Amino acid sequence: MVEDPSSAEQVVEPIGDFNPRTDAPLDFPDAEFGALSRGDYEALGFMCGLEVHQQLLTDSKLFCRCPTGRFPKHHDAEVLRHMRPTLSELGEYDGTALMEFKTRKEIVYQLERNSVCTYETDDTPPFEIDDSAIRIAIEVAELLGLNLVSEIHVMRKQYLDGSIPTGFQRTAMIGLDGSVPFRVPELGIDRTLRIRQLSLEEDSCREVSDVGHRITFSTGRLGMPLIETVTEPELFTPLEVEAAGRLLADIARATGKVRRGPGAARQDVNVSVAGSRRVEIKGVARHRGLPRLVHVEAFRQLNLLRVREELLRRGVTPEDLALPPDGRPWEVSRVVGDVGSVVRRGQDGPVREAAERGETVCAVRLRGFAGVLGHPTQPGRTFSHEIYERVRVIACPDHHPFMTHTDDSDGLVGDAGWREIRTAVDADPGDAVVLVWASANDAETAAREVMIRAREALVGIPSETRQAHDDGTTGFERILPGPDRMYPDTDTPPLPILDTTVEAIRVTLPEHPIEREERYRALGLEGRLAHRLARSPWATLFDAAAPEDGGTAARLAWFAVDRMRHHVRRAGAPPMCDPKRLETMIASVSSGEIRPEALPRMLDAAVAESDQPAEAIVDRFRSPEDPDGSLRSVLEATVKQAQALEGRAPDTRLRWAMGQAMRSLVGRVDPGEVHAALARALVGEDEGALT
């Protein structure tokens, strides 16, 4: 048993979660995203699984009655906290908790009086779990084909990164072992996607800033109910990962009871290749970013395996990269040296400036690493970035840069300086030297993290969670949590899921998006259109109008998937539209009273002018009493305007004139007749051709 967490070190040797294939394809060439086939990813041993977090549309938070959906831009108070790890029931520390403890973070929570209470700050026991959140979670679990648990048991999941003031997240299992149809014809996918589990949990805080040893969080979304859906790791190409993410989002949204908008849904993605192990990438907000992200991560892992192979070939051992557990490293080991006096004599720059302001500048010798720190791992990144990110997150230096090394050509240290530094740490030509500078405490943490990450290179793929960057690369976030972070919540009693509750939910289950898509295809809608409409929030509007004619159905479908989004952006909120108004307009088209091409314009007016009767809108598109006279007057005015566009190509003027004329003639006159009349007039500059 470890009594003092500060003396404990996170586990370096990865445990479990290995890719089932052990034959690392080290000779597989690096490739850009989009250049590989499905067979190529199979050769890599690529496999992936998703953890999808989706906020639920409830009025109250999960374990208190504070309102949800508030995103305050101000705060009324601040709370300062420090986190400390606790022993598990087996008397062990979780590696992630130990890592977070080493950061020595001051954690500031910004509180707004109308969105938090004493529960969020851990001064009040939890209230009863929100019933509406349970019902929504069960509804989604049913759509995913999961086996529901008979009794809800709340667990505590340790989070010492500060994102939850209590230091743990309350979470409860809802369903296990399900599957959904997974069909993506353009990718050649027609199978089932197995779902490992769905749990209900409270959301964490939103990070505001993270500078040095102080991190600040906003508590606006803290405690909001969300579900976490976990798939089995059976996604075998990057595009499959995106398709699966969209499928799970569509299923949750089909209930109409989940939140939309920025931050309401986030994906964690688990990636591995042959010879590797699972690495988790956290908080991916957009589905479209998933394919490039997992592709880059696959080759990052492959390159780390190449680094391991090279180090083992050179005979590097863990003992070569060890430090005594106690004391300042530069005082107890020749592997690390305080080289402040050396750099103070060197050239001007951030290293010398750090030494002159009293920071510790220490050199860390990495036996056998010469040339390895410059080995590419991600686009624009090398193995040295693996060390850099680890130091940045755990040692928390408050300035940049804070590290350089012998494989780098940044010029921060001159050749003469490097020779003296190498001598100070007994470095041979085959060794690399990493230079870090910070306060004494941070420099000690940094030197030890350099050594820890170097030892992990002998294992290959460290057990870690990474954060996604916009360019598709990733950076270190924390050690991957283990089972020691979970333990029962003694404040919350078990809650049975009653059969009557489940039956009532099953009776009102929404139509599954895949079943809805098949129904739309049967109506004659084109495949892509049917797919988009089945997942559109306006599909119910289409169903309520129930068009029978194929052409009318297609026009209404395009309106639902495209134009309604325009109206939402214009109005700033989802516009309301009575389906009966649409029925009037569809009937006018189906009867031949109004031409079909007028339908989109009428639908636009039906949504934008909700105070206007449907019949009044339809009247605008009826044929005039004198269609020939009306057509001639519009065309004459249009031709006169078009003739003023001197120097433009005839076809350009014709397209412009057609657009102008149809603004008032759409639905009233055959567009072909208008086009023919304008073409005769404009090509020959003959106004008489309009007769």
Side-chain angles (χ1 to χ4, degrees):
M1 179 184 297
V2 180
E3 298 296 338
D4 181 9
S6 64
S7 65
E9 184 174 289
Q10 69 262 31
V11 178
V12 174
E13 184 71 23
I15 52 175
D17 290 332
F18 285 98
N19 190 294
R21 277 182 48 188
T22 59
D23 54 327
L26 300 179
D27 58 346
F28 196 101
D30 288 7
E32 295 287 336
F33 172 65
L36 299 185
S37 66
R38 183 181 184 86
D40 292 327
Y41 286 109
E42 183 178 351
L44 277 171
F46 176 91
M47 61 187 301
C48 185
L50 283 171
E51 302 172 14
V52 179
H53 301 81
Q54 172 67 65
Q55 290 178 349
L56 304 183
L57 192 59
T58 60
D59 294 328
S60 301
K61 294 187 177 182
L62 192 57
F63 289 104
C64 73
R65 301 292 80 90
C66 288
T68 58
R70 291 183 60 88
F71 303 99
K73 296 182 179 179
H74 73 281
H75 58 279
D76 302 305
E78 290 185 346
V79 172
L80 173 65
R81 286 203 163 161
H82 297 85
M83 295 293 182
R84 181 180 179 86
T86 58
L87 291 169
S88 72
E89 292 180 312
L90 299 178
E92 298 174 349
Y93 285 110
D94 175 60
T96 306
L98 292 175
M99 186 219 84
E100 298 289 356
F101 184 65
K102 288 194 294 185
T103 66
R104 305 191 310 278
K105 287 282 190 182
E106 289 186 342
I107 307 166
V108 177
Y109 298 101
Q110 298 177 343
L111 311 179
E112 190 258 343
R113 68 175 70 250
N114 295 314
S115 60
V116 295
C117 65
T118 50
Y119 164 72
E120 276 84 0
T121 55
D122 204 24
D123 291 326
T124 300
F127 293 56
E128 288 186 4
I129 191 168
D130 185 77
D131 183 67
S132 60
I134 294 175
R135 289 177 174 272
I136 298 171
I138 292 174
E139 188 172 337
V140 178
E142 285 288 303
L143 291 174
L144 293 171
L146 291 162
N147 297 313
L148 298 176
V149 299
S150 58
E151 200 170 56
I152 295 176
H153 290 260
V154 179
M155 301 288 290
R156 294 182 179 183
K157 186 189 299 184
Q158 272 195 356
Y159 274 99
L160 264 70
D161 61 353
S163 60
I164 299 182
T166 58
F168 60 84
Q169 178 189 54
R170 286 185 167 94
T171 179
M173 190 67 64
I174 300 296
L176 298 160
D177 191 23
S179 64
V180 290
F182 188 28
R183 302 184 191 124
V184 189
E186 56 268 31
L187 298 180
I189 301 173
D190 188 3
R191 64 173 194 268
T192 59
L193 176 64
R194 292 188 298 152
I195 309 299
R196 179 176 295 179
Q197 65 187 50
L198 181 142
S199 55
L200 175 63
E201 54 193 30
E202 53 188 349
D203 207 344
S204 58
C205 296
R206 178 180 61 84
E207 183 180 312
V208 176
S209 65
D210 184 3
V211 180
H213 292 280
R214 171 168 287 219
I215 187 168
T216 303
F217 290 100
S218 170
T219 57
R221 76 181 191 193
L222 176 64
M224 289 176 60
L226 60 78
I227 52 174
E228 179 189 47
T229 304
V230 182
T231 75
E232 294 293 346
E234 51 188 30
L235 304 169
F236 303 115
T237 71
L239 293 179
E240 282 188 19
V241 178
E242 179 184 7
R246 292 187 183 278
L247 172 62
L248 296 180
D250 293 339
I251 291 173
R253 292 169 182 172
T255 65
K257 300 169 186 174
V258 299
R259 293 191 181 278
R260 305 290 295 270
R266 309 182 291 277
Q267 286 77 222
D268 298 345
V269 56
N270 298 288
V271 187
S272 69
V273 296
S276 173
R277 61 156 299 136
R278 175 176 72 98
V279 169
E280 181 182 39
I281 305 173
K282 295 284 288 186
V284 185
R286 297 181 179 275
H287 295 120
R288 70 183 66 174
L290 284 169
R292 180 179 298 277
L293 187 73
V294 298
H295 171 91
V296 170
E297 173 60 22
F299 279 97
R300 186 188 77 91
Q301 295 183 22
L302 183 61
N303 278 293
L304 292 181
L305 293 174
R306 290 169 177 154
V307 167
R308 178 189 66 178
E309 189 73 10
E310 176 61 21
L311 292 174
L312 295 179
R313 187 190 66 79
R314 296 182 183 186
V316 181
T317 66
E319 291 72 26
D320 295 327
L321 304 167
L323 289 175
D326 300 316
R328 302 286 197 191
W330 51 87
E331 296 174 353
V332 297
S333 173
R334 289 285 294 173
V335 173
V336 180
D338 183 344
V339 295
S341 60
V342 175
V343 299
R344 271 193 290 269
R345 298 193 303 270
Q347 60 197 55
D348 291 336
V351 187
R352 179 175 174 175
E353 292 169 3
E356 290 176 343
R357 63 176 176 259
E359 293 187 5
T360 299
V361 182
C362 64
V364 184
R365 184 193 72 202
L366 300 181
R367 180 69 72 194
F369 269 71
V372 170
L373 297 181
H375 183 88
T377 53
Q378 302 181 77
R381 306 268 177 115
T382 64
F383 181 76
S384 65
H385 283 86
E386 299 280 322
I387 297 175
Y388 179 92
E389 291 286 332
R390 187 70 65 92
V391 171
R392 179 186 64 82
V393 171
I394 300 178
C396 303
D398 56 7
H399 54 70
H400 295 272
F402 54 79
M403 186 187 106
T404 187
H405 55 86
T406 49
D407 287 354
D408 204 341
S409 58
D410 55 19
L412 295 181
V413 178
D415 293 341
W418 277 124
R419 284 194 293 271
E420 287 192 68
I421 292 170
R422 282 183 167 277
T423 300
V425 292
D426 297 333
D428 295 331
D431 302 337
V433 178
V434 175
L435 202 66
V436 292
W437 53 95
S439 66
N441 288 336
D442 291 349
E444 177 182 350
T445 303
R448 293 189 179 278
E449 288 306 315
V450 170
M451 277 301 195
I452 290 171
R453 185 60 188 88
R455 288 205 305 277
E456 289 177 346
L458 300 178
V459 176
I461 313 301
S463 176
E464 64 186 19
T465 294
R466 301 182 65 80
Q467 57 183 324
H469 299 313
D470 292 339
D471 62 357
T473 62
T474 60
F476 174 79
E477 184 170 275
R478 60 174 178 259
I479 301 298
L480 191 66
D484 297 325
R485 72 190 297 218
M486 293 280 288
Y487 52 98
D489 178 34
T490 54
D491 292 330
T492 309
L495 179 67
I497 297 181
L498 302 177
D499 291 343
T500 53
T501 300
V502 176
E503 287 302 321
I505 291 173
R506 285 174 176 168
V507 169
T508 59
L509 276 180
E511 186 178 19
H512 201 287
I514 293 175
E515 295 173 353
R516 177 177 280 176
E517 179 179 341
E518 292 175 348
R519 177 165 60 83
Y520 289 154
R521 288 176 185 266
L523 286 175
L525 295 183
E526 176 267 329
R528 178 61 179 164
L529 178 58
H531 177 87
R532 292 182 62 191
L533 179 61
R535 289 149 179 82
S536 168
W538 306 106
T540 52
L541 196 64
F542 176 90
D543 291 339
E548 297 180 358
D549 174 68
T552 302
R555 287 185 173 89
L556 181 57
W558 279 116
F559 179 81
V561 300
D562 281 341
R563 290 297 297 170
M564 287 302 287
R565 295 167 61 188
H566 160 76
H567 288 293
V568 170
R569 288 192 296 267
R570 181 188 61 81
M576 302 302 294
C577 185
D578 185 353
K580 291 183 179 180
R581 289 164 61 81
L582 304 191
E583 291 175 9
T584 300
M585 298 172 184
I586 291 171
S588 70
V589 172
S590 298
S591 65
E593 186 180 359
I594 304 295
R595 297 191 60 82
E597 60 269 12
L599 182 58
R601 296 281 185 89
M602 287 195 293
L603 296 176
D604 274 338
V607 175
E609 304 173 31
S610 57
D611 58 334
Q612 292 294 315
E615 280 294 341
I617 295 174
V618 172
D619 283 341
R620 301 179 197 170
F621 297 89
R622 297 185 192 279
S623 297
E625 295 181 0
D626 180 14
D628 292 338
S630 176
L631 172 61
R632 180 176 178 82
S633 63
V634 170
L635 293 182
E636 286 178 347
T638 302
V639 167
K640 183 174 294 186
Q641 291 175 308
Q643 287 173 336
L645 299 175
E646 297 180 2
R648 301 290 181 89
D651 59 333
T652 300
R653 289 192 296 167
L654 179 59
R655 286 196 301 271
W656 179 87
M658 187 69 183
Q660 289 293 108
M662 292 306 296
R663 287 183 179 181
S664 58
L665 296 177
V666 65
R668 303 181 176 192
V669 183
D670 184 347
E673 294 180 10
V674 177
H675 187 274
L678 288 173
R680 290 193 301 270
L682 291 174
V683 171
E685 303 292 350
D686 179 10
E687 289 189 43
L690 294 174
T691 57

